[in-house]
mmCIF file of all heavy atoms in Angstrom:
data_model
loop_
_atom_site.group_PDB
_atom_site.id
_atom_site.type_symbol
_atom_site.label_atom_id
_atom_site.label_comp_id
_atom_site.label_asym_id
_atom_site.label_seq_id
_atom_site.Cartn_x
_atom_site.Cartn_y
_atom_site.Cartn_z
ATOM 1 N N LEU A 12 150.046 133.437 142.785
ATOM 2 C CA LEU A 12 148.797 132.906 143.338
ATOM 3 C C LEU A 12 148.961 131.441 143.744
ATOM 4 O O LEU A 12 148.439 131.014 144.775
ATOM 5 C CB LEU A 12 147.654 133.072 142.340
ATOM 6 C CG LEU A 12 147.203 134.510 142.104
ATOM 7 C CD1 LEU A 12 146.280 134.600 140.895
ATOM 8 C CD2 LEU A 12 146.532 135.079 143.347
ATOM 9 N N LYS A 23 151.955 122.030 148.233
ATOM 10 C CA LYS A 23 152.384 122.655 146.989
ATOM 11 C C LYS A 23 151.241 122.620 145.970
ATOM 12 O O LYS A 23 150.600 121.579 145.765
ATOM 13 C CB LYS A 23 153.605 121.920 146.445
ATOM 14 C CG LYS A 23 154.247 122.598 145.282
ATOM 15 C CD LYS A 23 155.524 121.882 144.892
ATOM 16 C CE LYS A 23 156.146 122.590 143.708
ATOM 17 N NZ LYS A 23 157.357 121.944 143.258
ATOM 18 N N LEU A 28 145.767 127.615 138.383
ATOM 19 C CA LEU A 28 144.837 128.238 137.447
ATOM 20 C C LEU A 28 144.529 127.417 136.204
ATOM 21 O O LEU A 28 143.741 127.848 135.371
ATOM 22 C CB LEU A 28 145.371 129.610 137.032
ATOM 23 C CG LEU A 28 145.634 130.559 138.195
ATOM 24 C CD1 LEU A 28 146.129 131.894 137.683
ATOM 25 C CD2 LEU A 28 144.403 130.734 139.049
ATOM 26 N N VAL A 33 139.903 116.583 136.858
ATOM 27 C CA VAL A 33 139.258 115.273 136.871
ATOM 28 C C VAL A 33 138.818 115.087 138.312
ATOM 29 O O VAL A 33 139.635 115.102 139.224
ATOM 30 C CB VAL A 33 140.237 114.152 136.447
ATOM 31 C CG1 VAL A 33 139.550 112.809 136.528
ATOM 32 C CG2 VAL A 33 140.778 114.420 135.055
ATOM 33 N N SER A 47 131.249 131.242 140.788
ATOM 34 C CA SER A 47 130.875 130.727 139.466
ATOM 35 C C SER A 47 131.741 131.313 138.365
ATOM 36 O O SER A 47 131.558 130.995 137.206
ATOM 37 C CB SER A 47 129.411 131.047 139.176
ATOM 38 O OG SER A 47 129.215 132.451 139.192
ATOM 39 N N GLU A 50 137.419 132.175 139.195
ATOM 40 C CA GLU A 50 137.995 131.732 140.463
ATOM 41 C C GLU A 50 137.429 130.399 140.947
ATOM 42 O O GLU A 50 137.881 129.854 141.954
ATOM 43 C CB GLU A 50 137.837 132.808 141.537
ATOM 44 C CG GLU A 50 136.432 133.015 142.029
ATOM 45 C CD GLU A 50 135.568 133.922 141.153
ATOM 46 O OE1 GLU A 50 135.922 134.210 140.001
ATOM 47 O OE2 GLU A 50 134.515 134.331 141.634
ATOM 48 N N GLU A 58 139.476 123.603 148.200
ATOM 49 C CA GLU A 58 138.556 122.819 149.033
ATOM 50 C C GLU A 58 138.958 121.353 149.050
ATOM 51 O O GLU A 58 138.917 120.703 150.089
ATOM 52 C CB GLU A 58 137.106 122.968 148.554
ATOM 53 C CG GLU A 58 136.422 124.190 149.072
ATOM 54 C CD GLU A 58 136.213 124.176 150.582
ATOM 55 O OE1 GLU A 58 136.145 123.097 151.203
ATOM 56 O OE2 GLU A 58 136.123 125.269 151.147
ATOM 57 N N VAL A 69 149.175 117.399 136.937
ATOM 58 C CA VAL A 69 149.847 116.874 135.758
ATOM 59 C C VAL A 69 150.287 118.091 134.941
ATOM 60 O O VAL A 69 149.464 118.973 134.667
ATOM 61 C CB VAL A 69 148.898 115.986 134.921
ATOM 62 C CG1 VAL A 69 149.568 115.512 133.657
ATOM 63 C CG2 VAL A 69 148.397 114.818 135.764
ATOM 64 N N PRO A 70 151.545 118.166 134.576
ATOM 65 C CA PRO A 70 152.014 119.325 133.810
ATOM 66 C C PRO A 70 151.225 119.512 132.509
ATOM 67 O O PRO A 70 150.864 118.541 131.838
ATOM 68 C CB PRO A 70 153.479 118.996 133.503
ATOM 69 C CG PRO A 70 153.864 117.992 134.522
ATOM 70 C CD PRO A 70 152.618 117.210 134.835
ATOM 71 N N VAL A 85 144.026 141.792 136.279
ATOM 72 C CA VAL A 85 143.924 142.432 137.590
ATOM 73 C C VAL A 85 142.601 142.044 138.262
ATOM 74 O O VAL A 85 142.580 141.611 139.412
ATOM 75 C CB VAL A 85 144.053 143.969 137.463
ATOM 76 C CG1 VAL A 85 143.766 144.646 138.793
ATOM 77 C CG2 VAL A 85 145.434 144.338 136.945
#
Side-chain angles (χ1 to χ4, degrees):
L12 291 168
K23 188 174 180 181
L28 303 181
V33 178
S47 60
E50 71 277 15
E58 277 294 335
V69 177
V85 173

